[in-house]
Tab-separated table of all heavy atoms in Angstrom:
chain	number	residue	atom	x	y	z
V	523	LEU	N	-11.678	-0.293	3.792
V	523	LEU	CA	-12.162	-1.630	3.455
V	523	LEU	C	-11.021	-2.559	2.952
V	523	LEU	O	-11.247	-3.758	2.898
V	523	LEU	CB	-13.223	-1.524	2.346
V	523	LEU	CG	-14.509	-0.824	2.753
V	523	LEU	CD1	-15.457	-0.773	1.567
V	523	LEU	CD2	-15.148	-1.510	3.934
V	524	GLY	N	-9.849	-2.021	2.625
V	524	GLY	CA	-8.775	-2.889	2.231
V	524	GLY	C	-7.978	-2.349	1.067
V	524	GLY	O	-7.998	-1.138	0.816
V	525	LYS	N	-7.301	-3.236	0.372
V	525	LYS	CA	-6.545	-2.894	-0.815
V	525	LYS	C	-7.125	-3.455	-2.073
V	525	LYS	O	-7.634	-4.557	-2.099
V	525	LYS	CB	-5.074	-3.412	-0.633
V	525	LYS	CG	-4.222	-2.575	0.324
V	525	LYS	CD	-2.771	-3.045	0.291
V	525	LYS	CE	-1.889	-2.170	1.147
V	525	LYS	NZ	-0.467	-2.582	1.100
V	526	THR	N	-7.023	-2.696	-3.149
V	526	THR	CA	-7.496	-3.108	-4.456
V	526	THR	C	-6.452	-3.991	-5.156
V	526	THR	O	-5.390	-4.235	-4.619
V	526	THR	CB	-7.837	-1.868	-5.297
V	526	THR	OG1	-6.648	-1.165	-5.530
V	526	THR	CG2	-8.859	-1.015	-4.575
V	527	ILE	N	-6.798	-4.419	-6.364
V	527	ILE	CA	-5.841	-5.211	-7.109
V	527	ILE	C	-4.602	-4.417	-7.427
V	527	ILE	O	-3.484	-4.969	-7.543
V	527	ILE	CB	-6.527	-5.724	-8.402
V	527	ILE	CG1	-7.616	-6.749	-8.048
V	527	ILE	CG2	-5.568	-6.338	-9.380
V	527	ILE	CD1	-8.382	-7.258	-9.202
V	528	SER	N	-4.694	-3.121	-7.576
V	528	SER	CA	-3.527	-2.282	-7.896
V	528	SER	C	-2.825	-1.796	-6.641
V	528	SER	O	-2.110	-0.813	-6.675
V	528	SER	CB	-3.985	-1.073	-8.753
V	528	SER	OG	-4.995	-0.309	-8.076
V	529	ASN	N	-3.081	-2.460	-5.505
V	529	ASN	CA	-2.395	-2.129	-4.216
V	529	ASN	C	-2.722	-0.734	-3.703
V	529	ASN	O	-1.905	-0.139	-2.992
V	529	ASN	CB	-0.885	-2.305	-4.362
V	529	ASN	CG	-0.449	-3.720	-4.175
V	529	ASN	OD1	-0.669	-4.323	-3.097
V	529	ASN	ND2	0.123	-4.309	-5.219
V	530	GLU	N	-3.884	-0.235	-4.085
V	530	GLU	CA	-4.329	1.089	-3.510
V	530	GLU	C	-5.261	0.874	-2.330
V	530	GLU	O	-6.119	-0.010	-2.392
V	530	GLU	CB	-5.008	1.905	-4.621
V	530	GLU	CG	-4.074	2.263	-5.786
V	530	GLU	CD	-4.868	3.000	-6.864
V	530	GLU	OE1	-6.078	3.107	-6.735
V	530	GLU	OE2	-4.221	3.457	-7.817
V	531	ILE	N	-5.105	1.679	-1.317
V	531	ILE	CA	-5.946	1.569	-0.159
V	531	ILE	C	-7.328	2.151	-0.454
V	531	ILE	O	-7.449	3.279	-0.952
V	531	ILE	CB	-5.308	2.255	1.077
V	531	ILE	CG1	-4.001	1.588	1.410
V	531	ILE	CG2	-6.245	2.282	2.248
V	531	ILE	CD1	-3.247	2.254	2.547
V	532	TYR	N	-8.379	1.393	-0.219
V	532	TYR	CA	-9.735	1.820	-0.559
V	532	TYR	C	-10.445	2.275	0.694
V	532	TYR	O	-10.655	1.523	1.669
V	532	TYR	CB	-10.505	0.653	-1.209
V	532	TYR	CG	-11.845	1.039	-1.781
V	532	TYR	CD1	-11.965	1.508	-3.102
V	532	TYR	CD2	-13.011	0.966	-1.027
V	532	TYR	CE1	-13.180	1.835	-3.651
V	532	TYR	CE2	-14.247	1.297	-1.571
V	532	TYR	CZ	-14.301	1.744	-2.858
V	532	TYR	OH	-15.502	2.105	-3.407
V	533	VAL	N	-10.828	3.558	0.716
V	533	VAL	CA	-11.528	4.159	1.850
V	533	VAL	C	-12.921	4.604	1.326
V	533	VAL	O	-12.977	5.321	0.323
V	533	VAL	CB	-10.792	5.343	2.510
V	533	VAL	CG1	-11.585	5.925	3.631
V	533	VAL	CG2	-9.415	4.847	2.984
V	534	ALA	N	-13.963	4.190	2.026
V	534	ALA	CA	-15.309	4.584	1.577
V	534	ALA	C	-15.977	5.424	2.691
V	534	ALA	O	-15.538	5.451	3.847
V	534	ALA	CB	-16.186	3.318	1.309
V	535	ASP	N	-17.073	6.084	2.314
V	535	ASP	CA	-17.823	6.904	3.255
V	535	ASP	C	-19.144	6.168	3.526
V	535	ASP	O	-19.985	6.059	2.672
V	535	ASP	CB	-18.084	8.256	2.722
V	535	ASP	CG	-18.702	9.213	3.704
V	535	ASP	OD1	-18.914	8.817	4.834
V	535	ASP	OD2	-18.986	10.373	3.361
V	536	LEU	N	-19.293	5.670	4.773
V	536	LEU	CA	-20.540	4.976	5.103
V	536	LEU	C	-21.726	5.903	5.050
V	536	LEU	O	-22.830	5.456	4.742
V	536	LEU	CB	-20.387	4.380	6.510
V	536	LEU	CG	-21.586	3.587	7.071
V	536	LEU	CD1	-21.817	2.356	6.173
V	536	LEU	CD2	-21.323	3.130	8.507
V	537	ALA	N	-21.537	7.190	5.246
V	537	ALA	CA	-22.647	8.138	5.173
V	537	ALA	C	-23.168	8.299	3.751
V	537	ALA	O	-24.320	8.689	3.531
V	537	ALA	CB	-22.254	9.509	5.734
V	538	LYS	N	-22.342	7.983	2.774
V	538	LYS	CA	-22.751	8.108	1.369
V	538	LYS	C	-23.291	6.772	0.830
V	538	LYS	O	-23.866	6.712	-0.262
V	538	LYS	CB	-21.602	8.566	0.495
V	538	LYS	CG	-21.115	9.977	0.856
V	538	LYS	CD	-22.131	11.013	0.477
V	538	LYS	CE	-21.613	12.429	0.805
V	538	LYS	NZ	-20.378	12.769	0.111
V	539	MET	N	-23.061	5.684	1.528
V	539	MET	CA	-23.409	4.363	0.905
V	539	MET	C	-24.911	4.172	0.742
V	539	MET	O	-25.306	3.681	-0.348
V	539	MET	CB	-22.807	3.199	1.800
V	539	MET	CG	-21.331	3.015	1.513
V	539	MET	SD	-20.763	1.594	2.449
V	539	MET	CE	-19.099	1.459	1.773
V	540	PRO	N	-25.851	4.496	1.671
V	540	PRO	CA	-25.685	4.904	3.049
V	540	PRO	C	-25.791	3.709	4.013
V	540	PRO	O	-25.557	3.855	5.209
V	540	PRO	CB	-26.900	5.806	3.224
V	540	PRO	CG	-27.947	5.237	2.359
V	540	PRO	CD	-27.204	4.648	1.176
V	541	HIS	N	-26.179	2.542	3.499
V	541	HIS	CA	-26.268	1.321	4.285
V	541	HIS	C	-25.493	0.218	3.600
V	541	HIS	O	-25.317	0.209	2.391
V	541	HIS	CB	-27.737	0.881	4.458
V	541	HIS	CG	-28.643	1.985	4.925
V	541	HIS	ND1	-28.497	2.606	6.146
V	541	HIS	CD2	-29.656	2.592	4.301
V	541	HIS	CE1	-29.457	3.521	6.233
V	541	HIS	NE2	-30.163	3.577	5.131
V	542	LEU	N	-24.970	-0.727	4.379
V	542	LEU	CA	-24.112	-1.766	3.855
V	542	LEU	C	-24.658	-3.130	4.218
V	542	LEU	O	-24.978	-3.395	5.414
V	542	LEU	CB	-22.697	-1.614	4.390
V	542	LEU	CG	-21.603	-2.612	3.951
V	542	LEU	CD1	-21.462	-2.545	2.427
V	542	LEU	CD2	-20.330	-2.365	4.678
V	543	LEU	N	-24.759	-4.004	3.212
V	543	LEU	CA	-25.224	-5.379	3.402
V	543	LEU	C	-24.047	-6.302	3.178
V	543	LEU	O	-23.414	-6.277	2.084
V	543	LEU	CB	-26.359	-5.677	2.433
V	543	LEU	CG	-27.093	-7.012	2.626
V	543	LEU	CD1	-27.737	-7.150	3.936
V	543	LEU	CD2	-28.114	-7.201	1.496
V	544	MET	N	-23.657	-7.138	4.179
V	544	MET	CA	-22.524	-7.988	4.116
V	544	MET	C	-22.954	-9.451	4.177
V	544	MET	O	-23.933	-9.767	4.843
V	544	MET	CB	-21.543	-7.736	5.278
V	544	MET	CG	-20.965	-6.338	5.322
V	544	MET	SD	-19.931	-6.070	6.787
V	544	MET	CE	-18.672	-7.261	6.520
V	545	ALA	N	-22.232	-10.300	3.459
V	545	ALA	CA	-22.523	-11.738	3.434
V	545	ALA	C	-21.217	-12.499	3.292
V	545	ALA	O	-20.227	-11.940	2.728
V	545	ALA	CB	-23.544	-12.083	2.344
V	546	GLY	N	-21.259	-13.731	3.709
V	546	GLY	CA	-20.046	-14.587	3.541
V	546	GLY	C	-20.187	-15.845	4.330
V	546	GLY	O	-20.848	-15.884	5.414
V	547	ALA	N	-19.652	-16.892	3.805
V	547	ALA	CA	-19.747	-18.195	4.477
V	547	ALA	C	-18.896	-18.194	5.747
V	547	ALA	O	-18.128	-17.245	5.994
V	547	ALA	CB	-19.256	-19.310	3.505
V	548	THR	N	-19.081	-19.206	6.555
V	548	THR	CA	-18.409	-19.277	7.848
V	548	THR	C	-16.872	-19.359	7.641
V	548	THR	O	-16.406	-20.160	6.810
V	548	THR	CB	-18.863	-20.500	8.621
V	548	THR	OG1	-20.287	-20.416	8.810
V	548	THR	CG2	-18.210	-20.592	9.990
V	549	GLY	N	-16.131	-18.518	8.359
V	549	GLY	CA	-14.696	-18.611	8.325
V	549	GLY	C	-14.071	-17.863	7.155
V	549	GLY	O	-12.852	-18.033	6.903
V	550	GLN	N	-14.805	-17.017	6.428
V	550	GLN	CA	-14.248	-16.339	5.278
V	550	GLN	C	-13.896	-14.902	5.584
V	550	GLN	O	-13.467	-14.177	4.623
V	550	GLN	CB	-15.252	-16.399	4.111
V	550	GLN	CG	-15.620	-17.827	3.707
V	550	GLN	CD	-14.449	-18.688	3.340
V	550	GLN	OE1	-13.508	-18.220	2.728
V	550	GLN	NE2	-14.516	-19.952	3.723
V	551	GLY	N	-14.048	-14.416	6.819
V	551	GLY	CA	-13.575	-13.092	7.176
V	551	GLY	C	-14.651	-12.090	7.459
V	551	GLY	O	-14.366	-10.888	7.597
V	552	LYS	N	-15.905	-12.521	7.629
V	552	LYS	CA	-16.973	-11.549	7.809
V	552	LYS	C	-16.860	-10.876	9.171
V	552	LYS	O	-17.046	-9.636	9.245
V	552	LYS	CB	-18.336	-12.304	7.707
V	552	LYS	CG	-19.541	-11.474	7.943
V	552	LYS	CD	-20.798	-12.168	7.527
V	552	LYS	CE	-20.904	-13.526	8.215
V	552	LYS	NZ	-20.998	-13.406	9.698
V	553	SER	N	-16.592	-11.605	10.224
V	553	SER	CA	-16.453	-10.992	11.556
V	553	SER	C	-15.241	-10.064	11.587
V	553	SER	O	-15.298	-8.991	12.245
V	553	SER	CB	-16.313	-12.101	12.616
V	553	SER	OG	-17.492	-12.875	12.672
V	554	VAL	N	-14.160	-10.461	10.941
V	554	VAL	CA	-12.988	-9.568	10.890
V	554	VAL	C	-13.360	-8.299	10.118
V	554	VAL	O	-12.890	-7.187	10.503
V	554	VAL	CB	-11.772	-10.275	10.230
V	554	VAL	CG1	-10.615	-9.327	10.042
V	554	VAL	CG2	-11.355	-11.474	11.034
V	555	GLY	N	-14.160	-8.393	9.092
V	555	GLY	CA	-14.547	-7.240	8.341
V	555	GLY	C	-15.380	-6.298	9.204
V	555	GLY	O	-15.220	-5.036	9.108
V	556	LEU	N	-16.253	-6.785	10.081
V	556	LEU	CA	-16.999	-5.950	10.993
V	556	LEU	C	-16.091	-5.274	11.984
V	556	LEU	O	-16.217	-4.062	12.326
V	556	LEU	CB	-18.040	-6.761	11.733
V	556	LEU	CG	-19.244	-7.244	10.917
V	556	LEU	CD1	-20.175	-8.099	11.799
V	556	LEU	CD2	-20.041	-6.044	10.382
V	557	ASN	N	-15.073	-5.980	12.464
V	557	ASN	CA	-14.079	-5.376	13.388
V	557	ASN	C	-13.272	-4.315	12.709
V	557	ASN	O	-12.968	-3.298	13.329
V	557	ASN	CB	-13.154	-6.448	13.938
V	557	ASN	CG	-13.858	-7.384	14.910
V	557	ASN	OD1	-14.881	-7.029	15.483
V	557	ASN	ND2	-13.345	-8.589	15.088
V	558	VAL	N	-12.947	-4.480	11.434
V	558	VAL	CA	-12.189	-3.470	10.689
V	558	VAL	C	-13.053	-2.227	10.520
V	558	VAL	O	-12.560	-1.099	10.688
V	558	VAL	CB	-11.779	-4.063	9.306
V	558	VAL	CG1	-11.303	-2.934	8.385
V	558	VAL	CG2	-10.719	-5.081	9.485
V	559	LEU	N	-14.321	-2.400	10.231
V	559	LEU	CA	-15.241	-1.269	10.074
V	559	LEU	C	-15.362	-0.471	11.368
V	559	LEU	O	-15.285	0.761	11.421
V	559	LEU	CB	-16.574	-1.737	9.592
V	559	LEU	CG	-17.668	-0.720	9.239
V	559	LEU	CD1	-18.493	-1.258	8.104
V	559	LEU	CD2	-18.583	-0.445	10.415
V	560	LEU	N	-15.530	-1.177	12.516
V	560	LEU	CA	-15.666	-0.520	13.799
V	560	LEU	C	-14.364	0.171	14.205
V	560	LEU	O	-14.356	1.291	14.750
V	560	LEU	CB	-16.039	-1.550	14.858
V	560	LEU	CG	-17.512	-2.060	14.756
V	560	LEU	CD1	-17.706	-3.235	15.718
V	560	LEU	CD2	-18.463	-0.977	15.182
V	561	THR	N	-13.254	-0.480	13.911
V	561	THR	CA	-11.939	0.135	14.267
V	561	THR	C	-11.747	1.418	13.443
V	561	THR	O	-11.255	2.418	14.009
V	561	THR	CB	-10.818	-0.862	13.946
V	561	THR	OG1	-11.030	-2.076	14.716
V	561	THR	CG2	-9.439	-0.276	14.341
V	562	SER	N	-12.099	1.431	12.206
V	562	SER	CA	-11.972	2.639	11.392
V	562	SER	C	-12.747	3.808	11.993
V	562	SER	O	-12.270	4.913	12.062
V	562	SER	CB	-12.417	2.338	9.942
V	562	SER	OG	-11.746	1.275	9.394
V	563	LEU	N	-13.986	3.522	12.406
V	563	LEU	CA	-14.825	4.596	12.974
V	563	LEU	C	-14.299	5.084	14.318
V	563	LEU	O	-14.299	6.281	14.532
V	563	LEU	CB	-16.262	4.080	13.088
V	563	LEU	CG	-17.011	3.728	11.807
V	563	LEU	CD1	-18.361	3.122	12.104
V	563	LEU	CD2	-17.165	4.951	10.914
V	564	ILE	N	-13.810	4.172	15.132
V	564	ILE	CA	-13.281	4.566	16.451
V	564	ILE	C	-12.023	5.370	16.323
V	564	ILE	O	-11.814	6.358	17.067
V	564	ILE	CB	-13.023	3.334	17.320
V	564	ILE	CG1	-14.386	2.645	17.617
V	564	ILE	CG2	-12.310	3.681	18.613
V	564	ILE	CD1	-14.229	1.278	18.328
V	565	TYR	N	-11.191	5.094	15.364
V	565	TYR	CA	-9.959	5.835	15.160
V	565	TYR	C	-10.231	7.233	14.583
V	565	TYR	O	-9.395	8.127	14.706
V	565	TYR	CB	-9.003	5.092	14.241
V	565	TYR	CG	-7.968	4.301	14.962
V	565	TYR	CD1	-8.203	2.976	15.316
V	565	TYR	CD2	-6.749	4.848	15.306
V	565	TYR	CE1	-7.287	2.219	16.001
V	565	TYR	CE2	-5.795	4.093	16.012
V	565	TYR	CZ	-6.059	2.803	16.335
V	565	TYR	OH	-5.177	2.093	17.024
V	566	LYS	N	-11.379	7.465	13.963
V	566	LYS	CA	-11.606	8.670	13.242
V	566	LYS	C	-12.586	9.616	13.917
V	566	LYS	O	-12.564	10.823	13.702
V	566	LYS	CB	-12.115	8.343	11.794
V	566	LYS	CG	-11.924	9.495	10.807
V	566	LYS	CD	-10.475	9.709	10.488
V	566	LYS	CE	-10.319	10.752	9.414
V	566	LYS	NZ	-8.915	11.093	9.099
V	567	LYS	N	-13.537	9.112	14.734
V	567	LYS	CA	-14.589	9.911	15.252
V	567	LYS	C	-14.470	10.084	16.732
V	567	LYS	O	-13.974	9.210	17.475
V	567	LYS	CB	-15.960	9.306	14.918
V	567	LYS	CG	-16.198	9.014	13.443
V	567	LYS	CD	-16.069	10.236	12.574
V	567	LYS	CE	-17.210	11.243	12.801
V	567	LYS	NZ	-17.109	12.383	11.911
V	568	HIS	N	-14.961	11.250	17.214
V	568	HIS	CA	-15.010	11.518	18.696
V	568	HIS	C	-16.311	10.887	19.253
V	568	HIS	O	-17.320	10.776	18.523
V	568	HIS	CB	-15.019	13.036	18.881
V	568	HIS	CG	-14.864	13.486	20.318
V	568	HIS	ND1	-15.912	13.602	21.203
V	568	HIS	CD2	-13.746	13.769	21.036
V	568	HIS	CE1	-15.472	13.982	22.380
V	568	HIS	NE2	-14.166	14.097	22.305
V	569	PRO	N	-16.313	10.492	20.530
V	569	PRO	CA	-17.510	9.876	21.072
V	569	PRO	C	-18.756	10.761	20.996
V	569	PRO	O	-19.835	10.234	20.929
V	569	PRO	CB	-17.124	9.622	22.566
V	569	PRO	CG	-15.646	9.431	22.541
V	569	PRO	CD	-15.170	10.374	21.471
V	570	SER	N	-18.569	12.084	20.986
V	570	SER	CA	-19.750	12.974	20.862
V	570	SER	C	-20.272	12.989	19.440
V	570	SER	O	-21.404	13.497	19.224
V	570	SER	CB	-19.348	14.344	21.290
V	570	SER	OG	-18.381	14.945	20.440
V	571	GLN	N	-19.566	12.484	18.473
V	571	GLN	CA	-19.961	12.552	17.056
V	571	GLN	C	-20.513	11.239	16.531
V	571	GLN	O	-21.048	11.205	15.420
V	571	GLN	CB	-18.780	12.965	16.207
V	571	GLN	CG	-18.172	14.339	16.607
V	571	GLN	CD	-16.866	14.560	15.945
V	571	GLN	OE1	-16.274	13.639	15.360
V	571	GLN	NE2	-16.393	15.805	15.969
V	572	LEU	N	-20.333	10.154	17.290
V	572	LEU	CA	-20.719	8.828	16.780
V	572	LEU	C	-21.235	7.947	17.905
V	572	LEU	O	-20.675	7.910	18.996
V	572	LEU	CB	-19.518	8.156	16.115
V	572	LEU	CG	-19.695	6.699	15.690
V	572	LEU	CD1	-20.671	6.571	14.521
V	572	LEU	CD2	-18.352	6.074	15.312
V	573	LYS	N	-22.365	7.255	17.670
V	573	LYS	CA	-22.851	6.256	18.557
V	573	LYS	C	-23.119	4.978	17.825
V	573	LYS	O	-23.582	4.954	16.685
V	573	LYS	CB	-24.192	6.748	19.225
V	573	LYS	CG	-24.033	8.044	20.020
V	573	LYS	CD	-23.030	7.863	21.174
V	573	LYS	CE	-22.757	9.184	21.852
V	573	LYS	NZ	-21.732	9.068	22.903
V	574	LEU	N	-22.863	3.877	18.484
V	574	LEU	CA	-22.980	2.525	17.889
V	574	LEU	C	-24.035	1.724	18.608
V	574	LEU	O	-24.072	1.713	19.823
V	574	LEU	CB	-21.610	1.794	17.958
V	574	LEU	CG	-20.424	2.478	17.335
V	574	LEU	CD1	-19.162	1.702	17.655
V	574	LEU	CD2	-20.583	2.571	15.840
V	575	VAL	N	-24.889	1.063	17.810
V	575	VAL	CA	-25.859	0.141	18.329
V	575	VAL	C	-25.444	-1.223	17.814
V	575	VAL	O	-25.540	-1.496	16.588
V	575	VAL	CB	-27.271	0.475	17.877
V	575	VAL	CG1	-28.265	-0.526	18.431
V	575	VAL	CG2	-27.650	1.900	18.331
V	576	LEU	N	-24.985	-2.123	18.696
V	576	LEU	CA	-24.409	-3.412	18.296
V	576	LEU	C	-25.383	-4.534	18.669
V	576	LEU	O	-25.765	-4.691	19.815
V	576	LEU	CB	-23.075	-3.627	19.006
V	576	LEU	CG	-21.986	-2.509	18.779
V	576	LEU	CD1	-20.723	-2.912	19.494
V	576	LEU	CD2	-21.764	-2.305	17.304
V	577	VAL	N	-25.748	-5.310	17.624
V	577	VAL	CA	-26.640	-6.439	17.826
V	577	VAL	C	-25.884	-7.691	17.466
V	577	VAL	O	-25.341	-7.857	16.354
V	577	VAL	CB	-27.892	-6.318	16.890
V	577	VAL	CG1	-28.798	-7.550	17.036
V	577	VAL	CG2	-28.647	-5.022	17.218
V	578	ASP	N	-25.768	-8.618	18.451
V	578	ASP	CA	-24.950	-9.782	18.288
V	578	ASP	C	-25.721	-11.022	18.775
V	578	ASP	O	-25.618	-11.413	19.945
V	578	ASP	CB	-23.650	-9.695	19.081
V	578	ASP	CG	-22.714	-10.842	18.898
V	578	ASP	OD1	-22.952	-11.627	17.956
V	578	ASP	OD2	-21.727	-10.968	19.675
V	579	PRO	N	-26.577	-11.642	17.913
V	579	PRO	CA	-27.311	-12.818	18.343
V	579	PRO	C	-26.376	-13.986	18.731
V	579	PRO	O	-26.806	-14.792	19.545
V	579	PRO	CB	-28.140	-13.149	17.105
V	579	PRO	CG	-28.217	-11.879	16.277
V	579	PRO	CD	-26.919	-11.218	16.533
V	580	LYS	N	-25.189	-14.056	18.179
V	580	LYS	CA	-24.294	-15.127	18.548
V	580	LYS	C	-23.619	-14.963	19.894
V	580	LYS	O	-22.987	-15.860	20.414
V	580	LYS	CB	-23.220	-15.307	17.444
V	580	LYS	CG	-23.739	-15.792	16.165
V	580	LYS	CD	-22.662	-16.107	15.142
V	580	LYS	CE	-22.043	-14.867	14.599
V	580	LYS	NZ	-21.099	-15.162	13.525
V	581	LYS	N	-23.649	-13.690	20.450
V	581	LYS	CA	-23.249	-13.409	21.815
V	581	LYS	C	-21.743	-13.444	22.064
V	581	LYS	O	-21.292	-13.257	23.181
V	581	LYS	CB	-23.952	-14.291	22.804
V	581	LYS	CG	-25.456	-14.260	22.769
V	581	LYS	CD	-26.071	-15.177	23.783
V	581	LYS	CE	-27.599	-15.125	23.704
V	581	LYS	NZ	-28.291	-16.004	24.717
V	582	VAL	N	-20.954	-13.706	21.017
V	582	VAL	CA	-19.494	-13.793	21.247
V	582	VAL	C	-18.671	-12.905	20.298
V	582	VAL	O	-17.497	-12.695	20.572
V	582	VAL	CB	-19.060	-15.289	21.111
V	582	VAL	CG1	-19.609	-16.147	22.189
V	582	VAL	CG2	-19.417	-15.843	19.657
Side-chain angles (χ1 to χ4, degrees):
L523 296 179
K525 284 188 176 181
T526 64
I527 292 179
S528 57
N529 277 298
E530 296 177 354
I531 297 176
Y532 188 88
V533 179
D535 188 2
L536 183 60
K538 296 290 181 61
M539 283 185 172
H541 311 294
L542 180 61
L543 187 61
M544 299 176 61
T548 303
Q550 302 304 322
K552 178 169 54 63
S553 297
V554 175
L556 288 176
N557 289 338
V558 167
L559 186 146
L560 288 169
T561 303
S562 303
L563 295 175
I564 293 172
Y565 264 90
K566 201 68 176 178
K567 306 301 291 184
H568 190 273
S570 64
Q571 302 169 346
L572 172 68
K573 299 300 173 184
L574 302 172
V575 179
L576 304 182
V577 177
D578 184 14
K580 292 186 289 187
K581 304 181 181 181
V582 294

